[in-house]
Structure formats: structure tokens, C-alpha cells
Amino acid sequence: MKKEYFVPTAAGEQVNLQMASLFTNIRNKIIEVFKTADEVMRSRAVGTIEYEVEELDNIFGIMVLGAFIGIPSPPIQVTMELFPLMEKELHIMLAKVLTAHDPLGDLFSELDID
Amino acid sequence: MSGEIHFFIGKGGVGKSTTSALTAIHLAHKGHNTLLCSMDPAHNQRDIFDRHFSEKPKQVNRRLAVKEVDADYWIGKYLKETEAQIKKVYSYQSAFNIQSYFSILKYSPGLEEYALLLAFENILDTAKDWDFIIFDMPPTALTMRFFSLPFITLVWLKELLKLRKNIYAKKEIISKIKLGRKEVEQDMVKAKLEGLIDDNRHLQEYFTARETKINLVVNNDRLSFSEAVRTKQKLTEIGIPINRVVVNKVQNNEIRENLRAEFNGYKMTLFPLASEGLLGLEALELYLDENQKVLNDLP
């Protein structure tokens, strides 16, 4: 006996394609959500280290460029040699000056303590 | 630079310039190509030779040339180069007003001895085939700062490099967690620090090398003797040995007992007191002729 096969029509094919692209979309969205979540978690995980690195950068800046703010500094030529390469550290130092009146607040906000 | 380097150091007024000039003339007479280099800002060599000297070595006779180090020139050159570099990097410097810092930087403590170090490096780098380079050094205080600068600088540089490495190790951790791979841009500051450490190690090696001889000039009196003892102690602390003790203005070939005892075992050269002032090449040559015995003790 001859089996009856489903004969695809043009309209049916259209429906199939729509379904497929819907699934792909959903799958992509789910992947995206997980990726974002992953990024958020990773950022959170390193937030404290990043804060520490910024503090260390600041300390490095102060050690090398201390002459500019009146604290003991290395032999002046060390400052002079490194100064042109330390734009970032200088920015951090200047930014830290703004929060200098409230260092604990700065630290607490970094550690998510209310 | 393959020859010997001689430093003449000592208290102000003991005769570093005269004894270094006499030594240089003697070496030139023996057929060695000799450069006498005045590092003392007071620049006594021009009075001793009664001629004008500058940064460019000037031949006094066939084998002897004299050069005066101009510390201000080296400070100016160095600051200009650094300023150009800063202007290139800090685009907002006009707002930040770096310029005003620079105008006062030339008065920074420590720049004078650094200028001498730059000049010293330059002399060694550009030296042609001198058999001897004789450095007539400034009085003790500045000379000690000159010798100790590379050592002090290295202490700072090593500490800074340690901190920098610590920062970069943490940055790598951050990048690994965030991006899943170690990806930290090339750290120019770290590279510069390592370069500076190399330079200063190099200088330190020059100071402690076998070809480098420290000649400590003293007079036969108590003041210059006690300063000589302190100088010896300080140099020993930073690992620079004294090679020869030069006693100047000696009368009747006699020197103090404590001077002999303190520097027992060191090479010693006694320069008899000259009957009249030693000014001009002829007078110096005459002195050497009259005091042949001194020559035996010279390098």
C-alpha cells in the first residue's frame, strides 16, 4: 500500500522557517542573558581587586611623583624619567584627591556596605 | 673605554686639582694618552694650567688633554629632553601647568650630582682610546653624593619595580577572570624601571671595577686626616675601595703617625710642599723634575 507523505506546500515552508528563526532568537536571547550574567558575575568578582589595583596605582604614583605634593620622593631623575609615562597614575591621583575627604565612604561603597 | 680611571677625592683645599694635574702630566710624559677631567664646579684646572678649558677636551701637550665638565649644561640638556617628552605625552599640560614646575626643577636638590653622573657616563661612552682618565673631583660632600647616587637610586628603583610587578600581577588576574585570558598591555613604566636599574647597575660596576682607582688626597694635618677617615668609612659602606692615599704638601718627608697607621697597607704617594705656587704647565713640569722620587710612587 502506498504511504501518504506530507507534501510541503509553499505556505507550510514559510511557517517552518518562521518557527526556526523564532527558536534561534530565543536561543540567542538565552545565551545573551547568560553571557551578561557571566560578565556581571566576573566583574563583581574582580571589583575588589580592581579597587585594590587602583589604590596600588595611586600609591605608586605618590611614591614616584611625591615631589609634586611635598612628600619624600626618589632621586629626582627617577621621577623625571617615569613622569612622562605616568599619565594614568596621575589621573588616578588627581581623582583620589576628590574623595580624599571621605576615604572610608569610598571604601564602603566599593565593598557594598550601606 | 679600556684604560684606567682615576678619581682624586678629598677635603676642599688639600690639593686634589694640583696632585691630579701632576699625575696627569707625569702619565703623559710616560707616553700614555691621558685625559684630565675637571668635575669640580670651582674648576681650578684653568688656573693651574693658566688656560681656558671647556666641555671639549683641549690638548695641553701631545699626550695630555684637559676637559672641564659644565654641570649646568648637563642639567639644562637633561631637563629640556624630559620636558619635550612630557609635552608629547601630556596633551593637557597647558591646563595642568607643567611649565611652572619645570622652571623650578633645575633647583631640585640632587640634580647637581646627577648632572655629574650624566657627564661621567658621557665621557666613558664617547672616550676614544685614552690610557688614563683622571677625574679631579669636587670636595668631599658633593663627591660622596656622586658616588652614592647610583646605590640610593637602585634601592628606590628595586622597591618601585616590586610594587609595579605586584600591580601587574593583579591586573593579569583581573583580565583572566574578565576576559578568560591574560591580556595586559605592555607596561612602559616597568620597562623604563628595568632600563634605569640596568643603567645604575652599570655605573655601580664602573665605580667598583678593578680599573677604577680612588685616590684619596689628604694633608698632613688633623682636620683633613679625620675627614679622610670618615670618607674611607663611607666609601667602604657602599663597596668602593680606596686604592691610593696621596699626601700633599708634605714637609721633610714626614707624615703623622696616625695617618700612617690608619692607611697602613695602602699605596701611598707623598707630594713635597712646593717652594712656590704651582701655576702653569712649566711650573708643574719643573716640580716633577725636582721631585723625581714622587714619580716612582705614581701609577
Side-chain angles (χ1 to χ4, degrees):
Chain A
M1 207 174 102
K2 202 180 167 191
K3 259 189 181 168
E4 262 188 40
Y5 289 103
F6 174 73
V7 184
T9 60
E13 195 143 288
Q14 192 64 32
V15 170
N16 274 349
L17 277 177
Q18 273 176 2
M19 290 287 280
S21 89
L22 186 66
F23 279 130
T24 321
N25 262 346
I26 291 171
R27 199 193 66 190
N28 285 352
K29 277 276 182 297
I30 291 171
I31 289 173
E32 217 170 87
V33 166
F34 271 98
K35 258 193 182 165
T36 314
D38 181 59
E39 248 168 53
V40 169
M41 297 312 277
R42 281 170 190 269
S43 289
R44 269 208 186 164
V46 294
T48 322
I49 309 178
E50 270 180 333
Y51 181 73
E52 189 193 348
V53 166
E54 199 173 86
E55 280 300 314
L56 287 173
D57 268 335
N58 187 33
I59 290 169
F60 187 84
I62 290 173
M63 274 177 82
V64 176
L65 307 175
F68 291 123
I69 52 170
I71 67 164
S73 55
I76 190 74
Q77 77 275 14
V78 174
T79 304
M80 291 289 88
E81 297 282 341
L82 295 179
F83 189 36
L85 308 172
M86 288 180 57
E87 195 172 8
K88 201 189 87 208
E89 283 80 359
L90 195 66
H91 275 303
I92 293 175
M93 274 172 76
L94 293 176
K96 292 269 172 198
V97 170
L98 299 177
T99 54
H101 65 282
D102 189 16
L104 276 184
D106 197 25
L107 184 64
F108 280 15
S109 78
E110 187 54 48
L111 297 177
D112 270 346
I113 302 170
D114 292 324
Chain B
M1 172 58 207
S2 53
E4 277 188 14
I5 300 171
H6 281 257
F7 287 102
F8 279 73
I9 66 170
K11 191 174 169 340
V14 290
K16 295 179 291 296
S17 302
T18 309
T19 49
S20 58
L22 286 168
T23 308
I25 293 168
H26 163 70
L27 288 168
H29 279 183
K30 271 173 75 179
H32 301 297
N33 285 322
T34 309
L35 175 68
L36 173 60
C37 191
S38 168
M39 300 279 264
D40 188 352
H43 290 318
N44 299 124
Q45 295 299 350
R46 61 173 73 176
D47 299 323
I48 288 173
F49 283 89
D50 198 16
R51 292 178 70 166
H52 188 77
F53 297 118
S54 68
E55 273 283 332
K56 197 167 165 266
K58 193 186 235 176
Q59 291 295 138
V60 173
N61 60 33
R62 206 162 65 83
R63 299 251 181 230
L64 174 64
V66 183
K67 169 193 170 99
E68 261 178 16
V69 167
D70 181 356
D72 288 339
Y73 162 79
W74 285 101
I75 293 176
K77 182 174 183 286
Y78 176 66
L79 286 183
K80 223 183 218 166
E81 282 167 9
T82 316
E83 193 179 355
Q85 188 110 39
I86 288 176
K87 269 188 183 163
K88 216 166 64 186
V89 180
Y90 291 78
S91 43
Y92 60 96
Q93 62 99 16
S94 52
F96 187 58
N97 207 359
I98 292 275
Q99 204 71 34
S100 66
Y101 285 114
F102 257 88
S103 54
I104 55 162
L105 269 179
K106 58 170 170 280
Y107 304 112
S108 294
L111 263 192
E112 196 177 13
E113 52 263 37
Y114 187 57
L116 290 183
L117 271 182
L118 287 175
F120 176 72
E121 261 183 326
N122 173 266
I123 290 166
L124 296 189
D125 288 346
T126 59
K128 53 171 193 167
D129 300 328
W130 300 108
D131 300 319
F132 286 89
I133 301 184
I134 313 267
F135 287 99
D136 173 19
M137 295 301 285
T140 310
L142 182 53
T143 296
M144 292 312 294
R145 295 207 304 271
F146 168 83
F147 280 128
S148 49
L149 190 56
F151 294 81
I152 295 169
T153 310
L154 273 174
V155 173
W156 272 94
L157 288 173
K158 282 179 191 161
E159 245 355 90
L160 289 174
L161 184 63
K162 220 158 76 187
L163 178 56
R164 198 71 193 179
K165 279 185 173 162
N166 188 2
I167 292 174
Y168 264 72
K170 293 214 156 71
K171 281 189 179 166
E172 274 182 359
I173 295 173
I174 293 172
S175 133
K176 208 172 173 188
I177 297 175
K178 263 186 161 173
L179 308 168
R181 61 186 178 276
K182 279 186 193 175
E183 196 176 75
V184 184
E185 79 276 31
Q186 170 80 16
D187 183 10
M188 304 281 283
V189 174
K190 186 167 151 261
K192 187 84 197 176
L193 279 171
E194 281 162 348
L196 287 173
I197 286 178
D198 271 356
D199 290 349
N200 281 280
R201 283 235 173 92
H202 208 57
L203 279 171
Q204 209 176 20
E205 277 161 19
Y206 264 127
F207 289 162
T208 51
R210 222 153 37 87
E211 296 74 26
T212 303
K213 319 274 188 197
I214 308 284
N215 297 264
L216 179 60
V217 185
V218 287
N219 284 161
N220 200 14
D221 62 53
R222 234 178 77 189
L223 265 187
S224 83
F225 167 71
S226 29
E227 188 167 316
V229 174
R230 283 196 297 274
T231 307
K232 179 182 146 190
Q233 269 170 5
K234 280 191 181 152
L235 283 177
T236 313
E237 274 168 26
I238 51 175
I240 300 179
I242 289 170
N243 180 259
R244 175 189 302 274
V245 179
V246 176
V247 192
N248 190 27
K249 304 178 194 169
V250 178
Q251 284 174 301
N252 307 322
N253 213 19
E254 285 170 7
I255 59 169
R256 303 167 63 88
E257 199 40 56
N258 51 4
L259 183 59
R260 208 174 272 286
E262 175 73 29
F263 293 101
N264 185 24
Y266 287 80
K267 284 182 201 157
M268 217 176 244
T269 307
L270 309 188
F271 279 92
L273 183 67
S275 47
E276 46 193 295
L278 289 176
L279 296 177
L281 184 58
E282 275 175 29
L284 293 164
E285 281 171 341
L286 190 67
Y287 175 90
L288 285 174
D289 277 344
E290 284 171 357
N291 297 283
Q292 292 285 340
K293 206 177 143 283
V294 174
L295 308 183
N296 305 331
D297 299 329
L298 285 177

